[in-house]
Amino acid sequence: MITPPDDYAWFSYERFPDLTEAYCFTYIRGLTPEQLVTRLGARPEDFTLMTLEELIATSYRHGYGTAFLGATTIGDWVFVVEPNGGIGADEGIITPLSAGTRLVSHFRDVEGVESFYWSEDGEIRFCFIADDGYSEEAPEEIVESMQRIDSDYRHLYPSEGPAFLMAERLTGITLTPELLEGSTYLCGAIPESR
């Protein structure tokens, strides 16, 4: 059973003040954290293991021109956390990164702009960008979830549950605060010129 969007109310400013206002969560099937961070341009000698709290604090010390992210394994997936980052919402990066696999991401920036992407085998299958709406008609795999969101949860911003619901539907992963906070992340700095 898929979690109702309201069950993601734990992802709040009160619990995650330095993450909820600007984040990107990306799920990629079939890669290891090391493979992912290397593909994005981080140098293996710079990899560091961190807790979520350390990842968030370190990411805010990196200036413009460098993204800082952490990746961990959840089943067959690598889960990426970008505090105040948006690599997972960059079509020029996620489209080739999804070659031969599935990639799902959701993003929110400090101005409240939100997006959701599902890319598979080098093609964007579906995306939602705040203020622009849906990229196209929803693929059959997510029609039921989209109808449920449209009828029952239209009042919520994607980051208040619907994006989590869609990611869960496409990955089978129910993100929980315990999973987010209890994971160890392989972290690296990614140069903007990747």
Side-chain angles (χ1 to χ4, degrees):
M1 183 175 141
I2 300 295
T3 308
D6 293 337
D7 287 359
Y8 285 104
W10 58 263
F11 191 65
S12 65
Y13 182 81
E14 291 73 31
R15 186 160 188 174
F16 297 101
D18 294 322
L19 191 57
T20 54
E21 288 192 357
Y23 76 92
C24 189
F25 293 153
T26 305
Y27 308 75
I28 306 161
R29 185 173 50 205
L31 295 180
T32 66
E34 293 83 3
Q35 290 170 324
L36 173 73
V37 177
T38 301
R39 282 188 186 187
L40 290 174
R43 298 181 324 189
E45 61 270 20
D46 294 335
F47 293 168
T48 307
L49 293 176
M50 295 184 177
T51 65
L52 179 66
E53 188 175 315
E54 292 167 331
L55 165 59
I56 292 169
T58 303
S59 73
Y60 281 95
R61 289 197 294 267
H62 283 268
Y64 291 103
T66 303
F68 193 80
L69 55 81
T72 193
T73 302
I74 302 175
D76 294 337
W77 296 79
V78 62
F79 173 63
V80 180
V81 176
E82 292 179 78
N84 198 31
I87 289 175
D90 184 327
E91 290 184 24
I93 295 171
I94 64 174
T95 303
L97 193 57
S98 73
T101 192
R102 175 177 282 186
L103 181 148
V104 175
S105 67
H106 51 100
F107 160 84
R108 176 184 171 91
D109 73 10
V110 293
E111 295 174 357
V113 174
E114 300 196 25
S115 65
F116 177 89
Y117 282 92
W118 166 20
S119 183
E120 192 139 1
D121 202 16
E123 292 182 31
I124 303 291
R125 293 281 316 273
F126 179 77
C127 78
F128 169 82
I129 301 173
D131 299 329
D132 292 343
Y134 304 126
S135 61
E136 54 197 54
E137 192 171 318
E140 186 176 319
E141 297 94 328
I142 61 171
V143 167
E144 184 179 324
S145 297
M146 290 301 300
Q147 289 171 340
R148 184 171 169 210
I149 288 169
D150 284 343
S151 68
D152 298 339
Y153 303 103
R154 183 176 290 275
H155 63 285
L156 296 175
Y157 289 102
S159 62
E160 294 176 326
F164 290 87
L165 171 77
M166 294 301 297
E168 181 180 344
R169 169 68 183 89
L170 292 165
T171 66
I173 297 169
T174 302
L175 190 60
T176 64
E178 295 79 19
L179 186 58
L180 188 59
E181 293 173 313
S183 294
T184 299
Y185 297 90
L186 179 72
C187 300
I190 311 298
E192 279 287 319
S193 58
R194 54 198 170 275

